[in-house]
Amino acid sequence: MPPKNVPPPDPDADIPEETEETEDTTSFRLSVASVSNLPCPLDTSVLFAGICKSNRTSVVAESENPEGYELAKDKFIRKTDQDLFDDIVSKTLDVTLCDAAAENAVIGTTKLSLLPLLHDQTEIEMEVELTLTEAYHIKWWPDKEAELAEAAGKDKKGAPKAKAKAKAQEEPQEIIKRPEGFVPPPTVLRFAVRVDQLVGPAEDREDWTTFQWKMSGAFSLPERLLTVGLANPATDDPSLQPIRYKTIFLGTTMDAGCVAKPAEEKPTGGAGGGDEGETAEAEVTPEESAERYSPSIQFKTNQPLRYRGSSFLKQFRTMLNVAGGLWVYFLPEEIPSPDPKKPNPPEVGALTKHFAGKAWLDLRSFLHPGERLINDRRCPLRSAAATQEIVPDEATLEAANAYVKVSFELRLAPVAPPDPPVEDLRDLVYARPAYGKFPASEDPVEMYREAVQELLVTLARDCTGTSGANVASALQQLKASGSYEDIQELLRGAVLRVFRERMRKCTTAIPEKPLKGPQRSEWLAKAFAHLKGLAGPAPEVVAAPSDVPNRNARLALEAEISGNWDRAATRLQSRLLLAEVRCKPSEWIAYGKFCARCEGRRAAAEEALKQAVALIASGEAPDSQEDNQEVDMMLACLMLDRGRTDEAIAVFKEWHQKEPKEPLFAFLLGLGVFLADEEPAYAQRLLKSISSSRSDVSAYCDCLEKLLDYSQAGLVFTFLDQCKVIPKDVLDTDARLILIDARASIVERDYEAAAKRAARITTDLAAQADPLMVEAAWTLQGQCHHQLGDMERAIQCLESALAVGRKITDPAFYIRLGTVLVSERRWPQAREAYLKSIQLLPTAEAWSGVGYAEYRSDELQMCYEALREANLLDGERSDVWTMLALFHLRTECWEQATHCFQQCVRLKADCAELLCELGTEFAKASSARGDRDFAAFAAVAARAALDVTDTAAGHAAMAEAHAAQGSIEQATQEAMLAMEAHRDEDARKAIYERAVQWCEDNHKQELAEALHDLYQRLIDDEAAAP
């Protein structure tokens, strides 16, 4: 019987559209504006398909430029889920222009990717040029179309020729003939797709990707697997095998695999002995031979693109750092026989389970910057069958050297590609306009500097015997030596010349009218500041350090103490660029330890250690047994923590064989063998050999301290919790072990757990524990509570550490104590804590703390001295420059305040509290002096504070800035935002009264009423709140 007509599959069947809009759906609204430049008048409609079900517009009557298309269903609704995200990245919206009069024949088509709707835009308006099909493109040349229709036995519209009589009765039609070289205008379709909001998840806006993988086949498989279930393997079609093959990777499945015949027939030797054929065959590798001449498993379809968000990328990067690859699973499955009378051979089911396999796809190449593609990588297969599923005496995947070929591609590289090298460094410099300047004043300046130099020489010569170094005694010495009048006259003349030059260029001075009052005082202050700058570096200008390496190391330590890891990393990287530093392996080891301590930089630790290894191997650095041991141990511990146990054990074993009595090598080797889970008895012997006594754990503590030095908290937890070498009663009572456990929790940033562990020493074990351990436990608790934000408890713990009685010599301890005291507004105690830190080690962090505490205590002179010291130690601290600007505004040194604020802007200050206060002070100064520049500075400072964190104080400062600039409407808006954000009723009232005053002063009654309504509503809401 002839086969029945089977209808084609419905392309819309697998598209999961919704019928109603809900909160968890997305509506895609479609519209068609017009089509222009058709080759002839046509009845047209537009069909949307692809990512949506087929949706056709109404038919527009014959026209060369049709418009007014309407859709009965102007949108399609999809559930906002993973399937939608996958479809958006893998499918397109297919738009087809159809000829309605010719059974919807295709005139032209285009495809549109909806990818921008995920995270970039909510509307796509397209104006695309259609590529016409051949049948409609020829209509631009009616004469040629007529000739082709004549030759085909049809009329112009494609109908068969009529009889001659009927044809003779038709009216003759004029056929247009195009000129030679005629180029038709493009046919353009205009349409749009819109959504109400971005389709993709909000948490993925800045960090998302797509991936796609392909299985090119499985090769060199055991013959038993390829032939099982076939009655006659030599002649039967291998695709009829009752086995379906599927692969699984990254949670996605490809399950259309079947046995395929060899791609080529294997060549045989020639008649003359076959030497030439044997030579050609010898050049083919075993893998090439298996792929060309042997049966294989091939998959009919490839995996589509898949969308993945920020959580996937975070896990993927962690996988790259820890494991370096993923498993690809190869799973044969039996296909049940469709005929119950002819069941499959009984061995088919058992063999499909026996030959289940997995292949390791090494993805470490993705750690290279810019790498995002792996193409046709051969991955050996190994058995994944359970022990009970293995068939005895049967071939295995490993014995057959079976493998799969896998390709994998990401949309973006996990590690960003490096920036292209700059060919001309001048391209990095901003072009600046040439400003008009007064003529230079080199002569008076040079004379003044010579006078200052002469004064210094005279002081050094004539005042060497002065004790106490005060001004009065120096003047007496100068007068006694007879040099006082000469120096006075020389310096006075030089100062007068500079004053005359500045007065000549002063734009505010009026000829024949002397300066008086505040104008005179301001001019003299600026002139004095100018003279100080000519004589030498200004107090806030830091000279270039002579010892750059040590300075970078000191600043990196300061940044790490204050928790500014990025700045510490930048300083250490700058240090490693210096020729005298980068050639030392010990410096790279120290940088590797720093990276291991940093959250988010642990992948860089291995690269730093590899750099140290390269320096040692090249012989550029002097051979050091200590450096060799340290880099090998830390690198091996990193590999052990990331699951690369075989590599780590090899390193530990080599050092253990060199020095079998060294406890550290035996400890690490035992820990590695334990984690490999291959020889547990051997691991226990190694670990127990460290200490001869059950209760003596000092050797174990030394080894664990070394692991903490490498920031390997996971290995510390593994030993303490899993190895069962130290008895539980010792673990619970030994203070040093408990402290190590707590420190390991700090490395993992689990401050709450660390505080609880350390508290056991200061409560249960305080009586019998070493005072050193008790002090360390209190200090650690203070650090943890500081990180958790419980400042009062942090102060109690740190003060308890001081009460133990030992003299603490760690400057970081006093800096941390000062920080928590500042947060509690205990200014005198904070200043004392910072000063104790300075006595141990002068740091910019401590001096900055002193300056802040003194500023809040209104001790402005002491504040200024402390800030100068901080700036001398580190001239790139934005918080110090901000406080200096505040100090100069408070003391009305306007030029110095401007200079300090410019440094704040250059360094991108991020201290929101100080920036808010600075903005407010600039606004006050602007109102007092009528200086528009200060009003602009106020706005810049307030905006910088809001960029750091959106706070009520930031909006209040911005309101002050707008008011100083005369923008009352904007000032009122910012004041209203500040009022809504404030929880302090007094502060809210102060902002309200200030804003109302602006409105009344500028006759803005409507704004004042709006402020009053908001203020009253906030009061009512607060009263109604439970």
Side-chain angles (χ1 to χ4, degrees), residues 439-481:
S441 307
E442 290 89 353
D443 291 344
V445 169
E446 189 61 32
M447 292 179 67
Y448 173 72
R449 285 177 175 159
E450 290 177 358
V452 172
Q453 184 67 27
E454 182 66 24
L455 170 64
L456 294 175
V457 171
T458 304
L459 288 171
R461 184 189 65 224
D462 297 340
C463 301
T464 54
T466 303
S467 60
N470 56 66
V471 176
S473 59
L475 289 176
Q476 290 177 1
Q477 290 284 338
L478 288 174
K479 291 177 180 179
S481 63

Side-chain angles (χ1 to χ4, degrees), residues 52-73:
C52 65
K53 293 184 178 181
S54 299
N55 189 6
R56 191 183 299 275
T57 68
S58 61
V59 177
V60 176
E62 279 193 0
S63 174
E64 293 182 355
N65 299 288
E67 57 185 18
Y69 294 95
E70 294 182 358
L71 281 160
K73 179 185 175 185

Side-chain angles (χ1 to χ4, degrees), residues 140-185:
W140 284 108
W141 292 270
D143 53 338
K144 294 183 181 180
E145 182 190 11
E147 292 174 5
L148 292 174
E150 183 73 24
K154 298 182 178 181
D155 61 15
K156 272 181 61 178
K157 294 185 179 181
K161 284 186 176 180
K163 293 181 180 180
K165 183 177 179 180
K167 185 176 180 181
Q169 292 176 355
E170 292 179 357
E171 293 183 5
Q173 296 181 355
E174 181 182 356
I175 299 178
I176 301 173
K177 188 172 183 179
R178 302 292 186 188
E180 191 71 26
F182 170 71
V183 177

Side-chain angles (χ1 to χ4, degrees), residues 696-757:
D696 184 10
V697 294
S698 58
Y700 292 115
C701 291
D702 292 340
C703 296
L704 293 172
E705 293 276 4
K706 180 58 73 173
L707 286 178
L708 287 179
D709 186 36
Y710 300 154
S711 298
Q712 296 304 314
L715 298 180
V716 173
F717 292 142
T718 298
F719 175 78
L720 294 177
D721 300 338
Q722 300 178 28
C723 289
K724 310 298 183 186
V725 174
I726 301 176
K728 189 176 185 307
D729 60 327
V730 177
L731 284 173
D732 292 339
T733 57
D734 190 274
R736 190 177 175 191
L737 283 174
I738 295 172
L739 200 60
I740 287 172
D741 194 5
R743 289 172 54 199
S745 296
I746 287 183
V747 173
E748 293 293 311
R749 307 297 193 270
D750 189 356
Y751 298 107
E752 189 171 353
K756 288 181 179 178
R757 291 186 175 98

Side-chain angles (χ1 to χ4, degrees), residues 551 555 558-559 562 564 567 571 843-849 870-871 873-884 900 903-904 906-907 909-911:
R551 180 174 184 270
L555 294 179
E558 287 189 35
S562 61
N564 194 338
R567 189 160 190 265
R571 285 296 179 184
T843 59
E845 179 72 20
W847 277 117
S848 171
N871 223 352
L873 290 170
D874 184 0
E876 296 182 8
R877 288 184 62 104
S878 60
D879 58 336
V880 174
W881 286 108
T882 307
M883 283 191 284
L884 281 168
C900 294
Q903 300 302 315
C904 296
R906 178 179 67 85
L907 295 171
D910 58 357
C911 36

Side-chain angles (χ1 to χ4, degrees), residues 542-560:
V542 181
S546 58
D547 190 357
V548 177
N550 289 338
R551 180 174 184 270
N552 279 332
R554 175 176 57 78
L555 294 179
L557 175 61
E558 287 189 35
E560 185 174 351

Side-chain angles (χ1 to χ4, degrees), residues 122-137:
T122 58
E123 180 177 350
I124 303 176
E125 290 189 1
M126 296 298 295
E127 186 172 311
V128 294
E129 180 180 344
L130 291 177
T131 302
L132 302 183
T133 59
E134 186 176 352
Y136 286 87
H137 185 66

